[in-house]
Amino acid sequence: MVSVDAILLAGGRGTRVGGAIKPLFEVNGSTLLASAVGAVRAGGAERAVVAAPVLAEGLDVRWVREDPPFGGPVAAIVAALEEVDADEVYVVACDLPTVDAAVALLSDPLPADADGACLDDGRPQWLIGRYRTAALRAVASTLPDRGRDASMRALLGRLTVLPVAVDPALTHDVDTWDDLRRARGGAMTEPRTLPPEALNEWSAALAERFGLAEGDIPISLVLDLARDVANGVARPAAPLSAFVAGLVAGRAGGSPADTEAAVAAVVEMARGWQDR
């Protein structure tokens, strides 16, 4: 009998939703992450390996993280493969509201002449697939830097991956706040959050109002700080931590280097908070 595990990808930056943690968005009464775990379990997965920082303590999963973090989906898959024991493995991104139906289409063991199968809505959706574990490991072993910043084509392009034709509606993921609104049937309970282009406009307005120079407001640095604190401590701690980092940087002189040092110190505290 063919055994199957699952690799769930949940460690992205969420840049198009202002750094929010997409796998924890709730759709139809469940987080996208919990729904993905349920879907692969229903599809026969014996073990679910989530490539992300610990996002939900109560889930029956194994947590792994690529090193360094945010190395892309291939690096996350390479790291997670170390925890996979089964003959075959689901690979699923945790931003898919239709994950139950999507995984159900991949629940049969792979045919002998295939290395994998993935949904195809006009183009291959490699992050909604099922693959032969040995084939993934063989290619992963050839990738430099453990797959950091590698494309999915670099990992799967040499394999025989069968397309499973589906309607694009089945593969529409949650990438923006509008996507989340649609997934919820038009209802939104998330607080209003600015998309990246609006953040740039707001940053420029703040700089003009307070006489700041271009580059004095490091948007990405602050968003990364908020994400890491939200993950490591709690969401309400994120704005407080950003304020403290700004206060510390200002007292140190207020240079970009001072800001980076203050943010790094807060992030280091947040990452070790649960282990204190």
Side-chain angles (χ1 to χ4, degrees):
M1 182 177 178
V2 175
S3 58
V4 62
D5 286 342
I7 294 173
L8 303 177
L9 305 176
R13 294 180 184 274
T15 53
R16 297 185 67 186
V17 287
I21 306 170
K22 293 196 298 180
L24 297 184
F25 288 162
E26 289 193 4
V27 176
N28 297 325
S30 176
T31 66
L32 295 176
L33 173 59
S35 294
V37 173
V40 297
R41 294 289 189 199
E46 300 171 16
R47 175 181 299 177
V49 183
V50 182
V54 178
L55 301 177
E57 294 283 357
L59 284 180
D60 180 20
V61 300
R62 299 194 180 199
W63 302 93
V64 301
R65 197 75 167 116
E66 70 273 19
D67 185 21
F70 306 113
V74 174
I77 291 169
V78 171
L81 278 171
E82 297 179 1
E83 297 292 330
V84 172
D85 287 336
D87 302 315
E88 298 177 5
V89 59
Y90 293 109
V91 174
V92 180
C94 292
D95 57 2
L96 189 64
T98 55
V99 66
D100 291 322
V103 171
L105 293 174
L106 301 165
S107 59
D108 291 335
L110 296 168
D113 60 348
D115 298 313
C118 73
L119 301 195
D120 190 314
D121 58 8
R123 61 190 181 95
Q125 297 296 328
W126 282 325
L127 296 185
I128 317 172
R130 176 170 175 154
Y131 305 98
R132 211 171 297 282
T133 305
L136 286 184
R137 285 202 174 106
V139 178
S141 68
T142 69
L143 298 177
D145 300 325
R146 290 178 57 81
R148 179 170 177 79
D149 296 326
S151 68
M152 287 299 296
R153 184 173 297 278
L155 180 64
L156 299 176
R158 288 176 280 170
L159 302 183
T160 302
V161 179
L162 301 179
V164 178
V166 296
D167 188 286
L170 192 64
T171 61
H172 194 93
D173 58 10
V174 174
D175 202 29
T176 67
W177 291 111
D178 283 341
D179 293 334
L180 180 59
R181 184 178 293 107
R182 282 192 292 269
R184 290 173 168 173
M188 276 289 284
T189 58
E190 298 289 337
R192 186 171 183 267
T193 303
L194 294 175
E197 60 272 14
L199 282 176
N200 291 334
E201 294 174 6
W202 177 238
S203 175
L206 288 170
E208 182 178 0
R209 170 63 177 80
F210 296 106
L212 301 173
E214 183 177 356
D216 282 348
I217 306 176
I219 297 175
S220 296
L221 190 68
V222 174
L223 291 180
D224 286 349
L225 165 68
R227 180 202 59 239
D228 289 338
V229 172
N231 287 342
V233 185
R235 288 190 184 187
L240 175 65
S241 301
F243 172 81
V244 170
L247 186 64
V248 171
R251 288 181 174 177
S255 71
D258 295 327
T259 301
E260 290 182 9
V263 168
V266 174
V267 168
E268 183 179 4
M269 285 185 61
R271 289 177 175 170
W273 186 252
Q274 293 181 339
D275 299 327
R276 72 192 188 283

